[in-house]
C-alpha cells in the first residue's frame, strides 16, 4: 500500500536537515528520507587511521571521471550528510558574490537574489548552527550584526602568526566556526580531529545534531534511514511529482506527497532528476533548460604547509585564522584570487596517503613542525562541467577546472607569506578535479526558465510541486565555504513554503 505524507524531504545534509528543522513546527506530516544511517559515536570517529586510511565513513560507491576511470568520491552518506564531517567554517558569501564579478577566466554570474534578501536568514542560520566569530575585522565582511558567539581565541603559535601577518600589512581575521559549548562540560574541547572527522562528543554544529534530531522529536516528522530515493514519479502531464520510489533497506516502496523537496547534494540531486526521466521529460525531470547536471563547480583548493625544522608547532586547534586580503583582487592583478584559511592539523596518516612509501615516523616528525593552510579560489560555471548518469545509473563527473591562473597566483601569494613568516620549506597538495567536497551548481536557480532549473525560491520551473534546496542552486561558487549559504537559503525556502503551500 502507498504511504502518504504532506511533505517528503530527501536528504538530511545542510539543505535537507535545515529544511526538516524549519518545517517541523508546522502541522504538515513530513517524511524525511536518508540513504545512509546515523553515524555511530565510537572511538573511530577521532581515529585518523580509520578516517584517512580505511575511509570508514566515506560513501562506498564509485563515480567515474571524464576518462571513465572509477574513483571514490570525497562524500558521505548518512544522517547529517557531509555536515557531519565538515570543518564547520560557516561563512556568509560576500555581498559582491551575489553580483556579476569579472574573473581572469570570465564572469562569475549574478545571483537572482541579493545579499540583503538572504541576510536575515544568514542571521537565523548562524544562530541555528551556533556560529562564533568576530565582527568588523575581515576587510571583505558584508554588512552584518554581531555573531551569536565570540570567536574562538587563537592558540599561542597562531596568535604569534597573526601578529606577523599584520606586520606584513595583511588583515587576518577570525574564521567563523560552528562549535557548541566550547570549554563547557560535554562541549567542544577544541581537538585536532574536527575537519573530515565526526565529532565524538556531538559538539560540532552540523545538520544531524542541530536540525534532524530536534526535528524528529516532533510527532509530525518521520525519518527513514537506509532509504534511497531511486526515482521521482510524475503525473501523466509531467507537471507534478506524484510519488517517490524508495529503496528502503532492499525493499522498493512508493511514498506520496503533494510537495517533494530534494536535497541529496549537488551531484546526487542532479543524478536523481536525470534518473527520473519520462516521456514528458525525456532528458531528465525539470530539464527543459538542458541545464540539469551542468555547471558543476567545486572550488579550486590547495592544502599548503609551512615547515620549519627547529620550530615545533604545539597548536592543537589550528583552524582559527582567515586571510581575505586577496578575495577581491590580487597584489598584481585586478581580478579576485580567493581565500586563505588556516586548517586543522595534518595527521601523519593523512600525509602518508599522498606518498605511501615514506615511513609514518618521518611524517610524524614532519607534521609536528608544520603549519597547515587551505588556499581556495572560485571556479566558474561551465556547461561542459557536468554530471551524467549512464544506463546502469552510475554517476559520471566530467569536470575540467578553470580559473587556474587566479588560483596559482593565490598559491604563489601564500608561498611568499609563508617564506616571510620564516618557513624553510613549503609543500602543497590538491585533490584536483576529484575534490567533490564543495560540489555545487548543478541545478542553478534564476528568473528565466531557459537559463535556470530552479526559480529564486528553489522550486523547479517545470514541475510545480518540486523544490531542491541543497548546494545545486548556486549560480556561482564564490570563494568561501558553501554550508551556511545552503542553510540560509533552506530557511528562506521553508518560510516561502509555509506562506504559500501550507
Ligand atoms: C570533509 C569536508 C569538510 C567540509 N568543510 C566545510 C566547512 O568547513 N564549511 C562549509 O561550509 N562546508 C564544508 N564542507 C562542504 C559541506 O559539507 C557541503 O557543502 C554541505 O554539506 C552540502 O550540503 P547539501 O545539503 O548540499 O548536501 P549534503 O550535506 O551532502 O547532504 C546530502 C544528503 O542527501 C543524502 N542522499 C543523497 N542521495 C540520496 C538519495 N538518493 N536518497 C536519499 N538520501 C540521499 C546523503 O546521504 C546526504 O545525507 C565540507 C565537506 C567535507 C566533505
Ligand atoms: S570537540 Fe570541537 S573541535 Fe573536536 S571534533 Fe568536536 S566540535 Fe570539532
Amino acid at each position: 500500500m502507498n504511504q502518504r505524507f504532506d511533505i517528503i524531504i530527501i536528504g538530511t545534509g545542510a539543505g535537507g536537515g535545515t529544511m526538516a528543522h524549519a518545517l517541523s513546527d508546522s502541522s504538515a506530516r513530513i517524511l524525511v528520507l536518508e540513504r545512509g544511517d546515523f553515524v555511530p559515536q565510537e572511538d573511530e570517529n577521532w581515529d585518523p587511521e580509520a578516517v584517512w586510511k580505511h575511509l570508514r565513513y566515506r560513501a562506498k560507491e564509485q563515480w567515474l571521471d571524464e576518462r571513465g576511470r572509477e574513483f571514490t568520491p570525497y562524500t558521505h552518506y548518512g544522517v547529517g550528510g557531509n555536515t557531519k564531517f565538515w570543518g564547520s567554517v560557516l561563512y556568509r558569501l560576500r555581498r559582491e558574490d551575489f553580483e556579476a564579478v569579472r574573473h581572469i577566466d570570465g564572469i562569475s554570474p549574478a545571483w537572482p537574489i541579493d545579499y540583503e534578501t538572504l541576510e536575515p536568514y544568514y542571521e537565523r542560520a548562524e544562530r541555528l548552527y551556533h556560529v562564533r566569530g568576530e565582527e568588523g575585522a575581515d576587510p571583505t565582511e558584508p554588512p552584518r550584526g554581531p555573531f551569536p558567539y565570540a570567536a574562538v581565541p587563537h592558540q599561542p603559535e597562531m596568535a604569534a602568526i597573526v601578529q606577523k601577518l599584520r606586520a606584513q600589512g595583511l588583515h587576518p581575521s577570525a574564521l567563523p566556526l560552528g562549535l557548541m559549548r566550547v570549554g563547557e562540560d560535554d562541549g567542544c574541547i577544541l581537538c585536532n580531529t574536527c575537519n573530515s572527522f565526526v565529532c565524538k562528543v556531538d559538539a560540532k554544529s552540523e545538520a544531524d545534531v542541530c536540525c534532524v534530531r530536534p526535528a524528529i522529536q516532533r510527532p509530525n516528522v518521520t525519518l527513514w534511514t537506509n532509504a534511497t530515493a531511486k526515482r521521482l514519479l510524475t503525473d501523466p502531464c509531467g507537471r507534478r511529482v506524484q510519488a517517490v520510489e524508495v529503496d528502503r533497506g532492499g525493499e522498493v516502496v512508493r511514498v506520496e506527497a503533494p510537495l517533494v523537496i530534494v536535497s541529496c547534494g549537488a551531484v546526487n540531486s542532479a543524478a536523481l532528476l536525470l534518473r527520473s526521466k519520462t516521456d514528458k521529460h525525456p532528458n531528465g525531470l525539470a530539464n527543459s533548460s538542458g541545464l540539469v547536471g551542468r555547471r558543476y563547480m567545486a572550488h579550486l583548493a590547495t592544502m599548503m604547509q609551512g615547515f620549519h625544522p627547529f620550530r615545533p608547532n604545539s597548536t592543537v586547534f589550528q583552524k582559527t585564522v582567515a586571510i581575505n586580503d586577496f578575495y577581491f583582487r590580487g597584489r598584481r592583478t585586478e581580478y579576485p584570487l580567493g581565500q586563505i584559511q588556516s586548517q586543522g592539523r595534518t595527521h601523519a596518516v593523512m600525509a602518508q596517503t599522498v606518498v605511501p612509501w615514506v615511513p609514518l615516523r618521518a611524517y610524524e616528525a614532519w607534521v609536528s613542525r608544520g603549519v597547515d593552510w587551505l588556499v581556495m579560489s572560485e571556479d566558474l560555471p561551465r556547461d561542459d562541467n557536468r554530471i551524467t548518469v549512464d544506463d546502469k545509473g552510475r554517476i559520471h563527473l566530467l569536470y575540467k577546472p578553470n580559473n587556474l591562473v587566479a588560483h596559482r597566483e593565490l598559491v604563489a601569494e601564500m608561498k611568499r607569506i609563508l617564506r616571510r613568516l620564516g618557513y624553510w620549506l613549503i609543500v602543497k597538495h590538491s585533490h584536483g578535479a576529484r575534490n567533490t567536497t564543495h560540489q555545487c551548481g548543478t541545478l542553478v536557480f534564476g528568473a528565466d526558465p531557459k537559463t535556470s532549473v530552479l526559480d529564486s525560491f528553489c522550486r523547479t520551473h517545470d514541475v510545480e510541486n518540486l523544490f531542491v534546496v541543497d548546494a545545486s542552486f548556486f549560480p556561482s561558487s564564490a570563494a568561501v565555504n558553501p554550508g551556511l549559504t545552503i542553510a540560509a537559503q533552506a530557511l528562506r525556502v521553508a518560510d516561502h513554503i509555509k506562506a504559500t503551500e501550507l
Side-chain angles (χ1 to χ4, degrees):
M1 198 181 72
N2 292 342
Q3 303 200 44
R4 278 195 71 81
F5 293 83
D6 297 321
I7 300 176
I8 298 171
I9 299 172
I10 309 174
T12 59
T18 307
M19 177 60 80
H21 187 269
L23 293 179
S24 65
D25 64 0
S26 71
S27 57
R29 286 172 308 118
I30 301 167
L31 173 66
V32 183
L33 299 174
E34 170 51 56
R35 70 186 290 168
D37 212 329
F38 283 98
V39 182
Q41 273 179 289
E42 55 185 6
D43 289 346
E44 286 85 349
N45 293 160
W46 280 347
D47 177 357
E49 192 139 327
V51 169
W52 287 112
K53 202 165 166 185
H54 306 306
L55 305 182
R56 182 176 177 82
Y57 304 107
R58 251 351 131 77
K60 302 292 175 241
E61 70 188 13
Q62 297 283 291
W63 295 352
L64 293 109
D65 69 11
E66 71 289 345
R67 288 166 61 186
R69 294 169 302 193
E70 289 190 337
F71 69 98
T72 304
Y74 194 170
T75 196
H76 306 84
Y77 298 147
V79 178
N82 281 299
T83 72
K84 286 293 288 184
F85 301 86
W86 67 10
S88 224
V89 174
L90 295 180
Y91 261 105
R92 298 178 179 206
L93 260 60
R94 315 294 81 180
R95 190 187 209 169
E96 293 78 352
D97 289 325
F98 291 82
E99 298 159 9
V101 179
R102 185 171 286 281
H103 284 251
I104 293 176
D105 267 12
I107 302 286
S108 165
W111 288 40
I113 56 174
D114 57 13
Y115 172 75
E116 280 65 28
T117 306
L118 209 53
E119 201 282 334
Y121 298 99
Y122 273 132
E123 201 183 316
R124 275 174 55 189
E126 283 176 345
R127 270 187 273 123
L128 183 61
Y129 284 93
H130 304 253
V131 180
R132 309 171 164 269
E134 178 197 14
E135 185 204 347
D138 176 348
T140 65
E141 185 175 79
R144 56 161 305 130
F147 281 88
Y149 299 92
V152 177
H154 306 301
Q155 293 188 353
E157 271 107 340
M158 295 313 284
I161 286 175
V162 165
Q163 287 308 324
K164 289 182 190 160
L165 291 172
R166 290 211 178 100
Q168 290 187 25
L170 297 166
H171 302 84
S173 51
L175 271 180
L177 293 167
L179 305 173
M180 290 186 280
R181 308 179 301 281
V182 177
E184 295 175 26
D185 286 351
D186 298 335
C188 169
I189 57 167
L190 297 175
C191 68
N192 70 358
T193 44
C194 196
N195 190 25
S196 309
F197 294 80
V198 172
C199 180
K200 195 179 156 196
V201 295
D202 277 348
K204 194 195 288 192
S205 305
E206 37 87 342
D208 168 25
V209 169
C210 295
C211 300
V212 179
R213 287 192 223 174
I216 59 176
Q217 295 305 311
R218 302 212 181 227
N220 56 323
V221 182
T222 304
L223 170 68
W224 288 359
T225 54
N226 301 305
T228 306
K230 304 302 277 183
R231 282 165 55 83
L232 305 178
L233 308 173
T234 44
D235 65 10
C237 316
R239 287 294 298 165
R240 292 181 67 80
V241 175
Q242 277 187 322
V244 183
E245 190 183 281
V246 184
D247 177 338
R248 191 178 183 196
E251 187 194 352
V252 177
V253 295
R254 199 182 131 109
V255 278
E256 295 179 355
L259 197 68
V260 175
I261 304 169
V262 170
S263 191
C264 301
V267 170
N268 274 294
S269 285
L272 179 63
L273 266 54
L274 292 171
R275 289 184 190 118
S276 302
K277 65 182 176 190
T278 62
D279 291 350
K280 296 281 180 212
H281 299 276
N283 299 318
L285 201 55
N287 198 13
S288 63
S289 64
L291 285 174
V292 169
R294 294 186 186 267
R295 301 193 186 168
Y296 170 89
M297 295 167 282
H299 285 151
L300 305 167
T302 300
M303 262 67 79
M304 296 185 72
Q305 195 186 47
F307 171 83
H308 193 299
F310 309 123
R311 222 190 261 173
N313 178 8
S314 66
T315 309
V316 179
F317 190 83
Q318 186 172 252
K319 200 179 46 173
T320 53
V321 185
I323 304 171
N324 279 335
D325 293 77
F326 311 106
Y327 197 88
F328 295 132
R329 54 179 302 143
R331 228 186 272 270
R332 295 186 302 212
T333 162
E334 60 182 296
Y335 296 111
L337 299 186
Q339 200 203 27
I340 299 164
Q341 305 177 355
S342 61
Q343 273 282 73
R345 296 299 300 271
T346 299
H347 298 269
V349 175
M350 177 187 172
Q352 208 186 28
T353 61
V354 182
V355 187
W357 52 265
V358 176
L360 201 61
R361 261 208 206 137
Y363 274 121
E364 274 158 6
W366 174 275
V367 297
S368 64
R369 289 164 178 80
V371 180
D372 311 271
W373 301 85
L374 170 67
V375 175
M376 191 160 69
S377 307
E378 180 164 351
D379 53 345
L380 303 172
R382 298 275 188 259
D383 285 1
D384 287 347
N385 282 341
R386 62 187 294 206
I387 311 305
T388 61
V389 170
D390 65 22
D391 293 348
K392 294 181 183 142
R394 293 190 308 176
I395 291 172
H396 294 242
L397 174 57
L398 315 176
Y399 176 67
K400 281 207 178 67
N402 57 57
N403 222 13
L404 288 164
V405 173
H407 188 60
R408 284 189 199 121
E409 180 59 36
L410 191 60
V411 169
E413 193 62 66
M414 189 57 192
K415 252 190 196 163
R416 284 191 281 275
I417 293 171
L418 290 171
R419 289 246 184 269
R420 275 185 232 123
L421 288 173
Y423 291 102
W424 284 22
L425 209 60
I426 293 144
V427 290
K428 56 187 171 78
H429 171 67
S430 170
H431 292 290
R434 292 175 172 184
N435 174 27
T436 56
T437 57
H438 288 184
Q439 55 181 271
C440 65
T442 53
L443 303 165
V444 59
F445 78 159
D448 183 351
K450 290 198 186 72
T451 55
S452 57
V453 179
L454 310 172
D455 72 12
S456 78
F457 285 106
C458 286
R459 186 198 297 262
T460 60
H461 292 298
D462 299 352
V463 182
E464 59 198 34
N465 63 340
L466 177 61
F467 289 78
V468 186
V469 295
D470 53 44
S472 50
F473 71 85
F474 280 41
S476 66
S477 66
V480 292
N481 317 58
L484 191 75
T485 301
I486 303 167
Q489 172 70 352
L491 294 175
R492 177 172 174 263
V493 176
D495 270 7
H496 176 74
I497 287 175
K498 283 175 173 172
T500 58
E501 304 286 327
L502 302 181

